[in-house]
Amino acid sequence: MLVLLKSNYEELSREAGRIVASAVRNNPAATLGLATGSTTIGMYKELVRMHTENGLDFSKVATFNLDEYLGLAADHPQSFHRFMRENFFDHVNVDPAKIHIPDGTFGGDYEEYCLSYERAIREARGIDLQILGIGRNGHIGFNEPTSSFGSRTRLKVLTNETIEDNRKFFSAEEEMPQCAITMGIGTILEAKRILLLATGSAKAETVAEAIEGPITASVTASCLQLHPDVTFVIDEAAGVRLKQRDYYRRVMEMTARFTPNRLS
Ligand code: GLP
């Protein structure tokens, strides 16, 4: 597990963009697992900049988003479909046929629908690089506390905490979605490489629990301790509760010196 401590959000975003760009350059047909949330916006900006200025090519990439609110149509201002279009897809050359985001308006057999999402990931030969943010309660995707570490893509009921955290994005009179379709913890852990981004003091407690706390379904991001290739990119404010900060800095220095490929 690599913990990259960055001094602020801009640096964090640049580093995350650099890692994703390098994955795409090394494998132009990479399958990317994508996340939404305000934390990821700077990274997408950086990728858009690299596409516009340096010709970073996404034409062969396939993408799978982690989750979508149940009940929100793709053009709803708060839908993750819309987020992805506005922050990324509208500005780069990802082939629309290769973009996958759970359909929030699906109304049939959810189990079958979620199985088909898993099938599509397998048909794309699995996720090469999975991007994650983290919820204040330690969730990744919408895998709320107590989600099974074996869980797959499924319908998930949101906790009150998550609903409250996200209420600010919805208009006052609007009803907040109570459920989402999300990749499971088991799905996420099958990605070959995982990158988790966290910024700001509101995430400091949960980031420390995820990295240094016990592995527990009560903080689902702690499952990442089981994965062989995870990089956390964290800014100062989100990292203040980490006890081993000095050690992570030394690991970064030594990794850059002896095994720089791990940082690319
Ligand atoms: C939502 C998403 C998560 C994301 C989280 C954090 O809950 N389902 O994937 O990590 O928001 O969002 P933010 O980056 O805005 O704090």
Side-chain angles (χ1 to χ4, degrees), residues 68-83:
E68 178 58 284
Y69 287 114
L70 195 70
L72 297 199
D75 60 354
H76 187 286
Q78 304 314 330
S79 75
F80 291 163
H81 277 78
R82 179 89 170 252
F83 176 99

Side-chain angles (χ1 to χ4, degrees), residues 35-40 66-67 69 80 132-135 139-142 162 166 169 203:
T36 53
S38 44
T39 310
T40 59
L66 281 167
D67 47 13
Y69 287 114
F80 291 163
L132 298 173
I134 185 168
H139 73 207
I140 49 178
F142 270 131
T162 296
N166 292 338
F169 300 114
K203 301 287 174 67

Side-chain angles (χ1 to χ4, degrees), residues 9 13 36-46 83 87 197:
Y9 179 66
S13 301
T36 53
S38 44
T39 310
T40 59
I41 291 176
M43 176 196 73
Y44 288 124
K45 264 204 187 106
E46 189 58 13
F83 176 99
N87 289 291
L197 316 180

Side-chain angles (χ1 to χ4, degrees), residues 213-251:
I215 296 176
T216 168
S218 297
V219 180
T220 54
S222 67
C223 76
L224 300 175
Q225 295 176 32
L226 296 166
H227 192 281
D229 195 356
V230 180
T231 305
F232 288 86
V233 187
I234 291 165
D235 67 9
E236 282 293 337
V240 287
R241 301 299 292 268
L242 290 167
K243 293 197 184 80
Q244 307 270 19
R245 263 180 302 164
D246 292 341
Y247 176 64
Y248 304 139
R249 288 210 174 85
R250 280 180 45 233
V251 172

Side-chain angles (χ1 to χ4, degrees), residues 60-150:
K60 297 195 180 72
V61 158
T63 68
F64 286 85
N65 264 79
L66 281 167
D67 47 13
E68 178 58 284
Y69 287 114
L70 195 70
L72 297 199
D75 60 354
H76 187 286
Q78 304 314 330
S79 75
F80 291 163
H81 277 78
R82 179 89 170 252
F83 176 99
M84 288 309 300
R85 277 209 311 278
E86 286 178 354
N87 289 291
F88 190 49
F89 294 137
D90 279 354
H91 314 288
V92 294
N93 64 337
V94 180
D95 176 355
K98 295 198 178 106
I99 295 173
H100 306 81
I101 309 178
D103 177 4
T105 60
F106 182 80
D109 180 340
Y110 290 109
E111 283 180 20
E112 185 42 52
Y113 178 74
C114 292
L115 279 175
S116 74
Y117 202 70
E118 293 274 335
R119 238 182 346 259
I121 295 174
R122 274 199 306 279
E123 279 160 14
R125 295 182 310 282
I127 289 169
D128 295 302
L129 176 62
Q130 175 67 58
I131 314 298
L132 298 173
I134 185 168
R136 239 174 8 107
N137 64 5
H139 73 207
I140 49 178
F142 270 131
N143 291 285
E144 298 287 38
T146 73
S147 289
S148 161
F149 282 6

Side-chain angles (χ1 to χ4, degrees), residues 2-18:
L2 273 176
V3 180
L4 306 186
L5 294 159
K6 295 286 155 190
S7 41
N8 53 45
Y9 179 66
E10 284 67 38
E11 268 196 36
L12 170 156
S13 301
R14 260 202 302 279
E15 180 69 8
R18 192 188 62 75

